[in-house]
Amino acid sequence: KGNVARAELVPEAENFVSYDGEMPEVGKNVSEIYLAEVSNRAIAYCLNITASGFGGDIELVIAIDENMKIRGVKTISHSETANIGAAALDEKGKLLPQYTNISVAATDGVVSVSGATVTSKAVKAAVEEAVETVKEIEKGGGVQ
């Protein structure tokens, strides 16, 4: 599912290479980072991250491009309540589409889904952690 999510978030990528650098401390919930590449040049980071939702862990893939723009968020797995938190995590729901093609500075403008506040806050925290992780990697020279 992670490979499919990465390909959907960064469709122009020719391949995805596992990031083998040091994981920044701010990325405590990040399990893996992949670099989306075109012509052997990294154009985006794809982070596998776990958030604590209402019903348990929510596994997400978050893509952030080289211009610090959030490409989008995809759900890999979750245990959220059907028709409430689960509906918020649906690609056609009200939450995840808000994270498509926005500046990393624009996450404050994302609105929680009524009835799925815990889920909404969990996703927002995951996105913010992913952004901070990428910022730390970039401070260290980023990807080559």
Side-chain angles (χ1 to χ4, degrees), residues 59-95:
E59 301 288 334
L60 303 166
V61 173
I62 300 168
I64 302 171
D65 73 16
E66 61 199 338
N67 300 315
M68 294 307 286
K69 190 174 199 179
I70 299 168
R71 288 285 197 100
V73 178
K74 296 276 186 185
T75 306
I76 301 301
S77 66
H78 69 84
S79 304
E80 298 302 271
T81 309
N83 299 322
I84 302 171
L89 294 173
D90 187 279
E91 288 181 31
K92 294 175 181 72
K94 293 181 179 168
L95 181 62

Side-chain angles (χ1 to χ4, degrees), residues 14-27:
E14 294 166 351
N15 59 347
F16 294 90
V17 178
S18 182
Y19 171 74
D20 60 2
E22 192 171 318
M23 181 69 71
E25 283 184 36
V26 294

Side-chain angles (χ1 to χ4, degrees), residues 9-10 12-13 15-17 33-38 41-47 62-67 69 71 134 143:
L9 290 167
V10 191
E12 72 274 25
N15 59 347
F16 294 90
V17 178
I33 300 174
Y34 290 87
L35 308 175
E37 293 185 336
V38 173
R41 186 177 73 81
I43 61 164
Y45 296 88
C46 294
L47 298 89
I62 300 168
I64 302 171
D65 73 16
E66 61 199 338
N67 300 315
K69 190 174 199 179
R71 288 285 197 100
V134 170
V143 296

Side-chain angles (χ1 to χ4, degrees), residues 6 39 80 102 136 142:
R6 286 186 286 278
S39 300
E80 298 302 271
I102 64 169
E136 286 298 313

Side-chain angles (χ1 to χ4, degrees), residues 22 62 64 108 116-117 120 131:
E22 192 171 318
I62 300 168
I64 302 171
D108 286 343
T117 306
S120 298
V131 167

